Structures are given as structure tokens and as C-alpha cells.
Amino acid sequence: MTSKGSGPSGAVLQDTPPDDGTAPIVELRAAGKSYGNIRALHGVSLTVRPGQVTCVLGDNGAGKSTLIKIISGLHQHTEGEFLVDGRPVRFGSPREALDAGIATVYQDLATVPLMPVWRNFFLGSEMTRGPWPVRRLDIARMKRTADQELRNMGIVLDDLDQPIGTLSGGQRQSVAIARAVYFGARVLILDEPTAALGVKQSGVVLKYIAAARDRGLGVIFITHNPHHAYMVGDHFSVLRLGTMELSADRDEVGLEELTNHMAGGAELAALKHELAQVRGVDVEGLPEAEDLQATAPVSATPEGTP
Amino acid sequence: MSMAQQAEPAVTTPPAPGPKETDGRTAQRPLALRLLARPEVGVFLGAVAVFVFFLAAAPSVRSGSSMATVLYQSSTIGIMALPVALLMIGGEFDLSSGVAVITSALTASMLSYQLTMNVWAGVITALVVSLAIGAFNGWMMVRTGLPSFLVTLGTFLILQGVNLAITKSVTGNVATDDISNMDGFGQARKIFASSFDVGGVQVKITIVWWLVFAALATWVLLRTKYGNWIFAVGGNQESARAVGVPVTFTKITLFMTVGFGAWFVGMHQLFSFNTVQSGEGVGQELIYIAAAVIGGCLLTGGYGSAIGPVFGAFMFGMVNQGIVYAGWNPDWFKAFLGVMLLGATLINLWVRRTATRR
């Protein structure tokens, strides 16, 4: 990828011209995806710029996973446009996305549990030495580099030879982020990195997200926790039933409003009345729809689901 | 994580070249435990046990020529157990490997004989056919998403039928014609089925090939990119694909490696017996798989070694010949093998549990 910014044709009808000199690396324009006659995603526009965190929020089944899969090359979009550096692309495999500088840290962390940490760190991009017939892994250099990179992220492991499956969730997440940063990702997609983590470990991961942003990476942070999103996000997109419900910059939306969108304000109020009718649940303390503008209920979704 | 029943061990790593870093990290697991966690340790102990047992039970085992026979027997299983083990580490099975050996031998034999060509023409054609069978297995599996068990079960039945039918229609017999007078036979025999003298003991060349292939497989598995990919596609295929490992390429080439092994063993059989019985090979595939499993390869993939199946195959050879040397009824061979398979698997399981408990 050599060309930065939009091509000459795109400059004419550009609806959001590069305002601060940072052209978007990844851009979706009214993109969508259908599986047969099921429309999982429709009319989604998203812009990722270097040094910014774009948060994608949504309930289960809102289309977050489909969105990531399109950008990371696991699936192809069936409508709209997907541009990288201003040029339309259609990735045939995750390898192509990686080559374009788009790295994804999956919810299941894309690690092979039985393999040692250093082998996981370099999996798919192994360092080798020697000419072809005897080209072999440069094990010493890989171990050294992995150790160095992990230490740079503040991760110190007992033994790089231990199977990565023996690490804690937060540690594995951090290894995966360090790996993506090391391999020169320009865009980092994080799929619910905090979903399975405790409060403290979530904080660690959020710190790495901020660190990646400060190194000039564009970050796509998928989450259903508006509190986590608001801590590091520059732009917020809320997905709902496969379409875009909200797309706003940080200065256009507050945490309360974000939380409200995320929780599906009106639906919550309806649910409250339903609950009251069913079992006489004490709902006096729960907010009405109009109250939701001001209060900040937490996400109504269970954690750890896509 | 989709790894409920296999959350224990590590891929073995070769000893790190260069100085070990000890810059203030906490202690590693004790050496003994780390050693036990290696996949080939259980089978090594098992092989030693079986060896010692027959040394004691059958005095005639103690001669050099008996040992050469045991090793020869082991090598014919071991050469195939290696690619089968690699494939298993890569998460797949090949049930057609036993009859594929015969297919390869039949191809070389009949092509050379019927067209009166140099045997090397048949040998090369057989290689192409064997690799193609492997590629077909891999391609079918990747393409359809069916389990390799089903795909190769199909191939197994197809090849079994084809072997018999074509041989009968070409030669009018269930065996092929003797090719020992054909051009190039002596040369090919030197490579695939000769013997050489070591201190008065005739040693079959397949033993050398077996050890060479085992060394090569170990190197590939632990020291190359491709070896890393084998562990990855067997350990977590989706993750491997997501980080850019060419999963399809790895799986198809693994099946083709089994094809190569089938070709090699097929050529050995052809050039040591001069003719091929078209109905043979059935059941051998399970022996190869058993040798790999006894050798410490995880049936579900992602874990194992190339050296383990060497010991696994040795156990087979040792039991097979040992029963004869001990003067027992050889009908018990399979029963003995079954007990050994179960025992080895349980020992492996126990060893891994003990070793990875932290």
C-alpha cells in the first residue's frame, strides 16, 4: 500500500474531506452483507483514521461480528463499498487484509492453545534463516523478539515455552495485541477484547488500546460496554439489527446518550412494563423511557457473547 | 476455546540454540517434568519395556540378525507411520493409506510389464499417482468440509475395488507378473529393497530410509515454518487461518506426504517380492494410525512428534517378531497389539497430566 489519501476520483464527491490531514485508512460506504436471503448487515458507513479509536457498539446479533469479518477478510461484502487508502478492495483471505496492514485480535484470540507463546506470537509470520532447502526457523531471534515486544507492552512471562493456553485471558489478549502491533498493523481490529475479562484486566487491555492509538494506529474497538468504549473512543458507531443506529464523534455524544442507545432505551421501558405484568417485579426503581436520557444504566447484554 | 479435552501439553520445542535467557524471570518447570511433557517420552519407556521383556522371554532375540529382522519389520511400518503421524498432528486421518501402498506398487508393476518399459517409468508414474491420490483426499476434504475420516474411507473402498478389478482385467490374475527381468529392476531394487552387511549381519536398507525420514520429519516439524503450520492447523484451524497460515495448502500437502510414503513402501514391496498381491494392504492403515497414537500423537491433532512414532513402530516390530522368537502362537499378535495400544495411550495420558500439572 503506497498511496495515502483518496484517489483523484474520490476527491470530487468526498462528503467528509480529510479535516486534520489524516486520511482514512479504512472506509466503509453503505456496506452490507447478506447470507443467502438473510441480511446480516446493511448500509453501514465507517471511517478509520490513524491515531484514532473508532468504537463499534451493539447488542448481540447487531452485526458487529459480520462487520469485523468483512474488514478482516474472512467474508466479503455484498453491497456498498469497502475502501483501503481510498481504493476499493475485496479481500479474499485474512492474509490479504494483513498485507494491507489490517490486523484483527479476535474474541477467541486467534491463538493455538497447545503451542508455546513464542510460536503463537510468530504464527503465520515466522522468522527464518538460511537458503531454501535448509531454510529454518530462527528460534533464538523469535524468542528474543517476542520477549522484547511483550516487555515493551509491560508483559513479563515466566516462560515463553509454556503453552499459550496456560496464560490468563488478559495475558493472552495482551500477547495478541503486542503481536499485531509488532507486525506493523496500521489498523487494529479488537473484537470484544474486554468481554471475558475482569475489571482490572479490562483496564490493562484499555491501556494497550490507548498505547496502540498513541503509536499512530487506527483502532476499531468492538464492544458492548459503552463505559469501556467511552474511555478510549474518538468516534462511536452503534449497530442495531444490522444497520447503523448512531454514528457520532466524541464531542457530539455523551456517555449517557451512548449508553442509552446501546441499551435500547425504549425497549428497556417496554420490558419494564412487561416484567411488572408477569410477576409483579418491583419496577419502581427502574427508569422510565424519558428518564433514560439522564441516567446511565449499564449494558443489558450478557457478557462474553458475540 | 474449543479444546475441552486437550488442555494440557505444549508442542515440544527443540533445545534453544545459544544461551538461555535467565534475566530475572521466575523459575521454569523442573527439568524432569518438562521432559515428561514431551510426546515421545511415554512411548520411549514403553518401547524399552517391550524390548527388555522379549530379551528376557525369548533368548533368540538377543542375536544381531534377530535384531535386524525386528528393525526391518519396524521400518516397513515406521516409514508409513511418519507421514500418518504428521497428518494426525495436522488434525486429519487417512484410512486409505494401507491400500494406497498396494495401488502404487500395482501401478509401477503393471505399467512397466504391460508396456515393456524400464521399471523407472513405472516407478515415476506410481509416484505421480500416489501424490495425486493424496492431493485428491486433501482437496476433497477441504472442498467439501467433510471429515477426513469419511473422505478417506471412500478412497479406501474405491482403491480396494480398483486394485482388484484392474489387476484381474489386466493380468487375468489377482497378482501381477514377475518384473525381476525388466530393465532397471536391479537399480531400483538397490534403492528400495537391498541389504548391506554390518559386522556379518544383513541389514535392510529400509531401516536406513526409515531413520533418515524420521530425522527429516523431526527437523521439518520443529525447525521449519511448515512444521509450525502443521501444529497450528491441527491445534486450532480457525485461529491458524485468521493469522495467515495457509491452511488448505498445509492440509493438502500433508495428505500428499502420506501419498509419498505409500509410494515408497509400495516400491519396497514390489522390488523385494517382484510381484504384488492386489488384495493386500487392507487393515494396514489402522496399524500405521496405531503406531502414531502409541507414538504420542494426539488423535484430535495439534500435538505429537515424529520421533514418537519411530518408537511406536519399533514396538510393533518387536512384538510381531518377538512372539515368533518366543515360540508363542502368532495368532495372539493382534490381541497383544490391542492391549499395547490401550496401555500406551493410558500411559501417555497419565504422563501428560502429571507433567503439565503446574
Side-chain angles (χ1 to χ4, degrees), chain A residues 14-274:
Chain A
Q14 189 87 322
D15 40 359
T16 52
D19 45 345
D20 48 359
T22 53
I25 312 174
V26 167
E27 195 176 355
L28 290 179
R29 290 184 192 159
K33 165 79 182 171
S34 302
Y35 300 94
N37 50 11
I38 296 167
R39 202 158 67 176
L41 205 64
H42 173 61
V44 170
S45 298
L46 192 75
T47 309
V48 184
R49 295 172 200 280
Q52 284 196 4
V53 178
T54 303
C55 297
V56 177
L57 297 105
D59 201 351
N60 300 335
K64 300 188 303 261
S65 299
T66 307
L67 181 65
I68 317 165
K69 281 175 180 163
I70 292 172
I71 302 177
S72 62
L74 278 169
H75 289 335
Q76 283 85 45
H77 55 288
T78 51
E79 55 181 87
E81 274 189 297
F82 174 21
L83 302 98
V84 173
D85 295 320
R87 283 184 301 196
V89 291
R90 186 176 282 270
F91 295 134
S93 74
R95 186 78 255 174
E96 290 177 32
L98 279 172
D99 290 342
I102 300 171
T104 311
V105 175
Y106 290 93
Q107 205 167 3
D108 57 10
L109 309 175
T111 55
V112 182
L114 290 174
M115 292 176 79
V117 174
W118 67 270
R119 279 187 189 259
N120 264 290
F121 193 96
F122 284 97
L123 187 57
S125 315
E126 295 86 354
M127 287 178 173
T128 52
R129 62 198 172 97
W132 173 69
V134 289
R135 185 175 300 153
R136 55 214 182 268
L137 297 177
D138 195 342
I139 294 173
R141 195 152 64 100
M142 281 197 278
K143 281 187 177 177
R144 207 165 50 233
T145 311
D147 192 42
Q148 193 55 49
E149 287 300 314
L150 292 175
R151 280 166 190 271
N152 287 349
M153 296 285 276
I155 309 155
V156 181
L157 296 177
D158 295 350
D159 178 8
L160 287 178
D161 268 321
Q162 67 183 309
I164 202 163
T166 60
L167 299 186
S168 77
Q171 279 176 320
R172 264 183 291 165
Q173 193 77 59
S174 308
V175 171
I177 295 177
R179 172 172 75 182
V181 171
Y182 172 74
F183 284 109
R186 295 188 298 145
V187 174
L188 191 58
I189 306 173
L190 299 164
D191 181 12
E192 309 242 12
T194 58
L197 302 183
V199 176
K200 197 170 174 185
Q201 298 219 329
S202 296
V204 172
V205 171
L206 290 175
K207 212 171 70 190
Y208 294 138
I209 294 176
R213 179 196 59 199
D214 293 343
R215 287 174 76 157
L217 274 78
V219 179
I220 303 177
F221 177 22
I222 319 279
T223 181
H224 49 226
N225 188 323
H227 297 274
H228 288 168
Y230 209 74
M231 268 185 220
V232 291
D234 296 300
H235 186 93
F236 305 93
S237 300
V238 177
L239 289 179
R240 182 165 192 79
L241 300 176
T243 57
M244 202 99 147
E245 190 181 87
L246 172 83
S247 176
D249 280 337
R250 191 181 181 86
D251 48 16
E252 295 165 2
V253 63
L255 176 59
E256 291 80 8
E257 196 186 340
L258 193 63
T259 310
N260 188 15
H261 272 287
M262 183 52 217
E267 277 183 23
L268 265 195
L271 177 67
K272 173 190 155 182
H273 289 295
E274 249 174 71

Side-chain angles (χ1 to χ4, degrees), chain B residues 123-139:
Chain B
V123 169
I124 301 299
T125 312
L127 175 61
V128 173
V129 167
S130 289
L131 291 177
I133 292 171
F136 171 79
N137 278 336
W139 180 80

